[in-house]
Amino acid sequence: MARASRPPIIYVRGYAGGTAGIDKAVTDPFYGFNQGSTHIRIGPDDKPCFYEFESPLLRLHLDEGYRILVDGGQELYLSTHDTIPPDSIWIHRFYDTSATTWGGRPQDFRLETAAEDLLTLIEAIKEKSGAPCVHLVAHSMGGLVCRCLIQKILPDMNRDPAEYVGKLFTYGTPHGGIAFDVGFGVLEKLRDTTGINGAEIFGPQRMYEYLTPKALADPDGPSGNWDARAMPQDRPFAFPPHHVFCLIGTDPTDYDVARGLSAATVGPRSDGLVQIDNAYVPDAYQAYVHRSHSGPYGLVNSEEGYQNLRRFLFGDHKVEAALVGARLPQRPDTTWQAEVLLSVRGLQIVTHERTSAQWCPIELQDREASVPLVTTFLSSGLRPDDAGAMRYALHLRILSLRRRDTLLSFTDHLEQTADFDDILVVDVGTDPAGASVLSATWNSAITGSISTYQPDLRALDDDNPPRGDWVRDVELPVTAGPILGEDARIRLTVTPWD
């Protein structure tokens, strides 16, 4: 995608809480999208090595050439310029009217109003940039503001959301609401009944109201099986879930809001505020990273988050990996899990990790036709200068858990030891005709270091794929046969991405 044609980006921040939180939020000109972080890892000679992440705002400016247009304020800039460049970043400052710091009488915050104002901003940006749509990047509640626009506001106006929004990327959005691991539902009922600080927006009744078009809304409210996470496709003006990416945090320990009380009540299987199972839209693209909901070690302030954002918005290849043909041993007392980690060459972070230690392994059934492992996005423009192909590594571990009388048995257990453990090194390139070519080799078969390994890229033989699409089944090492069956393999699918 040429830079001149890249859509504008609008950032939509998360929940600020009551008046004090709103007043603090509005003092930041970029609503938190400009905050970075510093981390330390062990470097050579056992000395600390600092790693600094500048912030998503600055990195999009530096890496992708996006412009930050401020002339006394972004709203003022937009109102005083007839044209604006499409490759620009904008902040949806929906909390300003609810702050007390400006004087006057603040308005009560209403999520539907924030979504309506977002539409007004999009229309102004589209008109002045000539862009056909915008990309929305949202943190926490901001993703619900975006979904309200997409699923209710625009359909109520008989407008197609795809004519306004190209892609939606969410950091830690409570797509399924916010639930607690303690209290047996009492805390949720108390929150939804009292509406303290407007937090009832994370309960099912309010979510149903702002996520359901008027024509389809039941006056009695949601049914018992209503799923707030879903973006239904069987209705007019449905927004495709493959235009949505959900970044899911798995580290509650670094979320220190209320001195750790939030993380304690939400539970360990969360980012400290949003439970893992509530942090995604079904059928949308997902990545799991060991980061907390917000703060200096949060999702937005992370290289992991930024690299997933950058590749989803601007990558040119989508690569999917699935486990197919697996036949696990038929043992009624055994549960099987898969752990998956994904690393991209040139990055100092893991872009996706699902592990049992972080409460998010992939549960395996005894017999499954296909188990999706991971989908990642690559950009041919981000290859190292001396690299002929885009490389990533898929670390796959298969673990078994034994049960005895409904309880886990550790009699013959070796903690943190997998039944199968290997790394698939995948290289994606193009041939002289522009078609995708691919190589995939297990680390156990590579002699020497991975960094010096040079693959033999060759074209894929397939029945009749569309030009540019590529599918290849990769056999597993022989050591996996007794565990996953002789027919188990990894299916890689490479598709052009725009």
Side-chain angles (χ1 to χ4, degrees):
M1 183 186 296
R3 286 194 171 184
S5 65
R6 290 184 172 185
I9 294 173
I10 299 178
Y11 175 67
V12 188
R13 69 154 289 138
Y15 178 67
T19 300
I22 292 173
D23 287 348
K24 181 179 179 180
V26 301
T27 61
D28 186 333
F30 298 107
Y31 267 25
F33 200 46
N34 54 319
Q35 296 177 0
S37 59
T38 302
H39 299 276
I40 299 175
R41 65 183 299 171
I42 297 300
D45 303 321
D46 203 31
K47 294 181 179 179
C49 179
F50 290 90
Y51 182 82
E52 298 176 357
F53 173 66
E54 304 95 311
S55 78
L57 183 74
L58 187 54
R59 287 291 290 277
L60 286 171
H61 170 67
L62 295 174
D63 294 342
E64 299 295 335
Y66 267 73
R67 280 165 273 192
I68 306 164
L69 305 175
V70 181
D71 185 5
Q74 286 206 306
E75 183 178 3
L76 180 61
Y77 188 100
L78 193 59
S79 64
T80 56
H81 288 74
D82 294 331
T83 62
I84 59 173
D87 49 353
S88 52
I89 302 175
W90 304 86
I91 308 299
H92 180 30
R93 296 187 59 90
F94 58 85
Y95 265 136
D96 286 6
T97 58
S98 300
T100 63
T101 52
W102 319 129
R105 184 174 182 178
Q107 300 177 11
D108 292 335
F109 171 74
R110 184 171 176 269
L111 192 140
E112 289 92 328
T113 302
E116 292 165 353
D117 292 343
L118 177 57
L119 174 58
T120 301
L121 178 60
I122 292 174
E123 289 177 325
I125 291 173
K126 283 184 57 181
E127 178 184 358
K128 297 197 173 188
S129 68
C133 62
V134 303
H135 291 332
L136 298 179
V137 177
H139 175 230
S140 193
M141 181 199 71
L144 300 179
V145 173
C146 297
R147 285 185 58 197
C148 176
L149 170 68
I150 290 169
Q151 293 180 235
K152 176 178 173 59
I153 302 302
L154 286 168
D156 280 348
M157 302 170 70
N158 290 317
R159 299 185 189 179
D160 185 355
E163 296 180 359
Y164 296 84
V165 181
K167 297 174 184 175
L168 167 63
F169 184 98
T170 67
Y171 295 95
T173 289
H175 291 287
I178 292 179
F180 304 106
D181 208 29
V182 298
F184 303 100
V186 174
L187 295 178
E188 290 90 338
K189 290 182 180 179
L190 180 64
R191 172 201 64 198
D192 298 345
T193 301
T194 62
I196 183 170
N197 290 333
E200 76 279 3
I201 60 173
F202 303 116
Q205 180 62 45
R206 275 292 286 130
M207 295 187 76
Y208 180 79
E209 292 173 1
Y210 62 72
L211 293 177
T212 308
K214 290 180 181 178
L216 301 176
D218 188 329
D220 294 329
S223 62
N225 61 357
W226 181 73
D227 187 355
R229 303 174 305 168
M231 299 182 73
Q233 299 300 293
D234 59 346
R235 59 177 55 172
F237 308 115
F239 190 77
H242 64 270
H243 286 190
V244 181
F245 192 110
C246 303
L247 192 71
I248 303 165
T250 62
D251 179 14
T253 59
D254 282 330
Y255 190 64
D256 58 1
V257 169
R259 297 186 178 181
L261 181 60
S262 170
T265 55
V266 172
R269 199 166 187 263
S270 71
D271 63 8
L273 181 64
V274 181
Q275 292 179 346
I276 290 173
D277 287 342
N278 286 334
Y280 63 87
V281 171
D283 299 322
Y285 300 118
Q286 305 162 21
Y288 293 69
V289 297
H290 196 54
R291 291 287 186 155
S292 65
H293 186 74
S294 63
Y297 298 99
L299 292 164
V300 178
N301 302 324
S302 70
E303 189 75 39
E304 293 93 331
Y306 173 71
Q307 292 299 338
N308 278 287
L309 168 70
R310 186 183 187 189
R311 283 160 170 75
F312 174 66
L313 294 187
F314 311 121
D316 50 20
H317 287 77
K318 178 178 70 174
V319 185
E320 301 166 278
L323 175 65
V324 297
R327 294 294 183 267
L328 294 163
Q330 299 285 324
R331 299 174 185 165
D333 64 339
T334 303
T335 297
W336 295 91
Q337 296 175 337
E339 295 186 337
V340 175
L341 292 86
L342 187 79
S343 303
V344 178
R345 178 162 56 182
L347 300 183
Q348 299 185 35
I349 47 88
V350 176
T351 59
H352 172 84
E353 52 183 321
R354 296 190 64 173
T355 68
S356 57
Q358 296 168 13
W359 298 76
C360 56
I362 300 172
E363 300 294 334
L364 300 177
Q365 304 300 322
D366 291 340
R367 292 178 179 271
E368 290 186 279
S370 178
V371 181
L373 297 177
V374 65
T375 298
T376 190
F377 299 91
L378 302 175
S379 176
S380 56
L382 300 181
R383 286 176 292 187
D385 293 338
D386 58 347
M390 298 169 286
R391 173 175 293 177
Y392 73 89
L394 176 68
H395 191 167
L396 176 63
R397 305 175 79 233
I398 306 295
L399 305 96
S400 61
L401 298 174
R402 299 288 182 90
R403 296 188 303 270
R404 180 173 295 174
D405 299 327
T406 72
L407 299 175
L408 287 179
S409 173
F410 296 97
T411 307
D412 57 354
H413 178 74
L414 292 172
E415 183 63 19
Q416 296 294 316
T417 303
D419 295 275
F420 171 80
D421 190 338
D422 210 336
I423 299 172
L424 185 64
V425 180
V426 182
D427 289 271
V428 181
T430 54
D431 64 14
S436 296
V437 289
L438 177 146
S439 172
T441 307
W442 292 98
N443 185 38
S444 56
I446 295 176
T447 301
S449 66
I450 295 178
S451 61
T452 59
Y453 164 67
Q454 295 296 326
D456 177 20
L457 290 174
R458 50 192 179 272
L460 172 74
D461 294 326
D462 196 27
D463 292 337
N464 187 23
R467 179 171 175 80
D469 289 21
W470 210 37
V471 180
R472 180 175 181 176
D473 286 352
V474 180
E475 294 183 357
L476 279 91
V478 294
T479 54
I483 301 168
L484 297 170
E486 300 301 326
D487 295 329
R489 54 204 182 277
I490 301 297
R491 177 164 294 166
L492 300 175
T493 304
V494 182
T495 310
W497 177 251
D498 187 351

